[in-house]
Amino acid sequence: MTGPCRFAYAQARVQARYAELPGEDAWQRLAAARTLGIFLEEAREGALRVWVKGFSAQSDGHDLDRGVRGIWQDEVVRVAAWLPQPWRPALLWLRWLLLLPLLAHAGRGGTLPVWVDLDRALHGLRRPDGTLDPAVLVRVGAGALVPQGVAAVAGSEE
């Protein structure tokens, strides 16, 4: 399947996924949840069960953030597979969208937080001193996202 047919296939898949999202009544029930445990219990009853299956009432903010970023990255890869091959790299760039604030912070001279080492997608980005290792971004195909100030420092180390 190529060309316009492949785009139509991708569009149909995306629209089908969108149609599976909860309705207004489900969102209202979720908004009324007073604790994470109750929210997760409600979410597991409906269309969000796939999104929350890796979380528990004991999950902390880092667990939730890491989990949602992982789901996002997996979904981007899945949708990219539905597109014609020449378009896949353009969509795969969206995997990095959620990292832009973190990379901007590193580009302003900030250190990366310790939780970066615990994230499967970010593992290795943080040097022992907390600074960004731009070589890792280059190695995973995201060299264009190396903050300008960090790239200059990395280039002077060689």
Side-chain angles (χ1 to χ4, degrees), residues 119-149:
D119 191 304
R120 66 180 165 95
L122 305 179
H123 185 73
L125 278 181
R126 185 178 183 274
R127 292 178 176 147
D129 67 355
T131 60
L132 175 69
D133 186 348
V136 174
L137 279 177
V138 172
R139 189 169 55 245
V140 297
L145 295 178
V146 174
Q148 194 169 21

Side-chain angles (χ1 to χ4, degrees), residues 29 37 56 65 95-96 110 120 124 142-143 158:
R29 277 194 315 277
S56 74
D65 190 49
R95 287 180 301 175
W96 304 106
R120 66 180 165 95
E158 296 178 10

Side-chain angles (χ1 to χ4, degrees), residues 1-10 84:
M1 189 177 348
T2 60
C5 293
R6 188 73 180 180
F7 278 112
Y9 174 77

Side-chain angles (χ1 to χ4, degrees), residues 88-155:
R88 290 178 188 167
L91 187 67
L92 287 172
W93 270 103
L94 292 177
R95 287 180 301 175
W96 304 106
L97 186 65
L98 302 178
L99 299 182
L100 294 180
L102 186 68
L103 297 176
H105 172 73
R108 291 188 301 270
T111 58
L112 299 178
V114 175
W115 60 259
V116 167
D117 292 332
L118 303 174
D119 191 304
R120 66 180 165 95
L122 305 179
H123 185 73
L125 278 181
R126 185 178 183 274
R127 292 178 176 147
D129 67 355
T131 60
L132 175 69
D133 186 348
V136 174
L137 279 177
V138 172
R139 189 169 55 245
V140 297
L145 295 178
V146 174
Q148 194 169 21
V150 174
V153 172

